[in-house]
Amino acid sequence: MDMEKTVLGLKELLLNLLYFNSTYTIAELSGLTNKSIPSISKIVNELLEDGILIEDGLAPSTGGRRAIHYALNAKLNCYILTVAIDQHYTSVVVYDLHNKEVTPVHTIENHLDHPEEAFSNIVRLINELLTKHHLSADNILGIGVSMPGFVDNVSGTNGSFKDFQLFNIKKEFERVFAIPTFIENDSTAIAIAEQNFGKAKEISDALIINVGWGVGLGIIVDNKLFRGFSGYAGEFSHIPLSKSKKMCSCGKNGCLEVEASLSAAAEHFEERLAAGEKSVIQYEDSQNQLQKAQLLINAALGGDQLAISVLNKSAYMLGKGIATLIHIMNPQKIIISGRGAEAGKILMPQIQTAINEFCIPKISNKTVLEISDMKNAQLIGTASIVFEYSLTKFANLNKSLIK
């Protein structure tokens, strides 16, 4: 649970605990907060009366009277609008307070290297989603936006863009939609999701690697999100480990991204197809980058030798980068997440081979390497950011928001 955003009151703290852990008894909440059972009971009863909490069954018997579990009320007419942006695609969904989809996930091709079009495309997508599903801004607790780049989550800006609207994306969203908006780096959002709902839960020191069009990194140190001095820790893509002369998206040569990302794998695959190598994949002119990447992953999982070879090359370079991270951070666990996690069983052997080759065993043997099984981690992590920032507002919801 990322508690860096504010010092919470007891009511907000209870709601935060219930959001991230579904249900608790009063005794459990008392133990977690170090507050007395009468203090917890008083607040729980107030939240029950306001309709924000509900009773959610009985705890297992311990020989006496069975305790009641409490949970957030799923019937609250209160939602979180979540926007997940990457270099080439934007996805939007509305979640309830149990991170269940109120709408399907809507995804469009939307290239950030055309910033003058990208912002208006996102606005159009959100408006279409709200209109199609008859959702009002009055029922949206907040908008969460996660995207690649040098995101300053305090000022709400993204320093990777000169375009006014993408640079000032928080203020621009609030101007357009009149809904409180919160932004975060995409890999950080994925790390938050894994920490609170995934394989990094209850892990004190973890590295979450976002394998996508680039290679991002979220860092958990001593149970807390680590951002670094300027807030930009985790630029894993740009560690100079590659001998390739291909220029990285950052404008430099030698970055890990040019060999270890899905973009690099897809480009390498097409080069080998053009050189006459054979594959079950038949690309069509109408297919976009996401479809091609998915075909590559599916083919590898289905046993296609060229697809496996290409992903193995990327995985080995990724493992080389991970070996560097293990030496520096000595993490308890490393989790491969993001789009590339779907190809986990293909990636894992070569990642492990590189770790064995480049890492001191005394350090690496203490680190667990796992593939995430979380779907839509970036969207879920972004939604949880909105909830944490909006706790005071949520704790004082009007009863009219109950269905």
Side-chain angles (χ1 to χ4, degrees):
M1 183 170 21
D2 182 11
M3 301 302 293
E4 65 178 26
K5 301 178 177 65
T6 184
V7 177
L8 300 179
L10 184 54
K11 182 185 286 189
E12 288 84 359
L13 181 56
L14 296 186
L15 292 171
N16 211 40
L17 286 167
L18 288 165
Y19 173 80
F20 286 111
N21 296 279
S22 299
T23 66
Y24 278 121
T25 66
I26 285 176
E28 288 168 337
L29 291 169
S30 174
L32 288 166
T33 60
N34 291 317
K35 299 295 181 181
S36 69
I37 285 179
S39 296
I40 299 298
S41 297
K42 180 176 182 295
I43 293 177
V44 167
N45 286 332
E46 289 174 1
L47 292 168
L48 284 169
E49 185 178 340
D50 290 339
I52 294 174
L53 296 188
I54 58 168
E55 294 183 356
D56 190 43
L58 298 174
S61 175
T62 57
R65 186 175 178 181
R66 295 171 67 190
I68 299 171
H69 272 131
Y70 297 94
L72 296 178
N73 186 356
K75 293 185 177 180
L76 285 173
N77 193 16
C78 180
Y79 310 109
I80 295 172
L81 196 159
T82 309
V83 185
I85 302 169
D86 66 27
Q87 289 89 336
H88 303 293
Y89 297 90
T90 296
S91 296
V92 178
V93 68
V94 174
Y95 286 124
D96 68 13
L97 298 177
H98 291 252
N99 287 327
K100 294 201 168 113
E101 294 176 8
V102 176
T103 70
V105 177
H106 291 238
T107 300
I108 60 168
E109 192 169 358
N110 190 36
H111 302 284
L112 292 182
D113 56 359
H114 296 91
E116 65 284 354
E117 300 171 4
F119 182 82
S120 59
N121 288 341
I122 299 167
V123 169
R124 188 180 309 112
L125 179 63
I126 292 172
N127 279 326
E128 289 173 356
L129 182 80
L130 294 175
T131 301
K132 180 176 180 180
H133 297 281
H134 309 289
L135 292 166
S136 166
D138 294 337
N139 302 117
I140 303 294
L141 187 63
I143 299 175
V145 181
S146 56
M147 62 193 304
F150 295 120
V151 173
D152 185 329
N153 68 324
V154 177
S155 67
T157 59
N158 190 332
S160 294
F161 296 95
K162 295 180 180 178
D163 175 77
F164 177 82
Q165 290 177 310
L166 289 180
F167 177 83
N168 292 289
I169 192 164
K170 169 182 165 66
K171 290 181 180 177
E172 287 297 290
F173 265 49
E174 290 177 339
R175 177 184 63 80
V176 173
F177 298 107
I179 299 172
T181 300
F182 310 96
I183 76 166
E184 188 55 89
N185 173 269
D186 57 343
S187 297
T188 301
I190 288 172
I192 289 169
E194 294 289 352
Q195 182 189 25
N196 290 300
F197 304 107
K199 290 186 177 291
K201 195 173 181 68
E202 298 180 0
I203 301 297
S204 62
D205 297 273
L207 301 177
I208 296 89
I209 297 174
N210 172 22
V211 180
W213 310 120
V215 185
L217 175 66
I219 305 170
I220 308 297
V221 177
D222 195 19
N223 294 303
K224 295 178 182 177
L225 190 67
F226 178 78
R227 295 183 182 273
F229 176 70
S230 301
Y232 303 135
E235 287 299 321
F236 185 43
S237 264
H238 306 297
I239 294 177
L241 290 176
S242 171
K243 295 180 181 178
S244 170
K245 299 299 183 183
K246 290 180 182 177
M247 184 175 289
C248 178
S249 60
C250 72
K252 300 184 184 298
N253 293 326
C255 293
L256 182 68
E257 179 177 305
V258 301
E259 291 196 67
S261 64
L262 284 182
S263 294
E267 185 177 343
H268 185 212
F269 181 80
E270 293 196 54
E271 288 171 355
R272 291 178 62 173
L273 275 183
E277 296 190 57
K278 302 299 181 184
S279 168
V280 298
I281 297 177
Q282 299 293 324
Y283 281 152
E284 298 174 9
D285 292 339
S286 61
Q287 288 171 330
N288 58 35
Q289 191 163 0
L290 181 59
Q291 291 169 325
K292 289 181 177 181
Q294 190 63 56
L295 281 174
L296 176 62
I297 291 170
N298 290 346
L301 292 172
D304 182 80
Q305 293 303 295
L306 180 56
I308 290 171
S309 174
V310 165
L311 288 178
N312 279 346
K313 181 174 183 288
S314 291
Y316 182 80
M317 283 304 298
L318 184 60
K320 191 174 181 180
I322 289 172
T324 301
L325 293 177
I326 290 173
H327 284 147
I328 295 169
M329 299 299 297
N330 187 27
Q332 181 181 356
K333 184 181 282 192
I334 293 176
I335 299 157
I336 307 298
S337 191
R339 292 188 187 276
E342 191 175 345
K345 72 178 184 179
I346 303 295
L347 300 177
M348 187 68 94
Q350 285 301 310
I351 291 174
Q352 191 62 60
T353 295
I355 291 173
N356 293 342
E357 184 174 343
F358 295 107
C359 214
I360 298 170
K362 189 175 183 65
I363 303 174
S364 63
N365 289 345
K366 298 290 185 180
T367 299
V368 175
L369 180 64
E370 292 186 353
I371 303 296
S372 173
D373 56 7
M374 181 178 290
K375 303 296 184 184
N376 296 323
Q378 185 178 341
L379 285 165
I380 290 171
T382 308
S384 69
I385 292 160
V386 174
F387 187 82
E388 285 195 282
Y389 274 119
S390 305
L391 274 165
T392 300
K393 177 182 176 181
F394 178 64
N396 295 286
L397 280 179
N398 189 289
K399 290 183 180 180
S400 64
L401 289 177
I402 301 172
K403 293 178 185 176

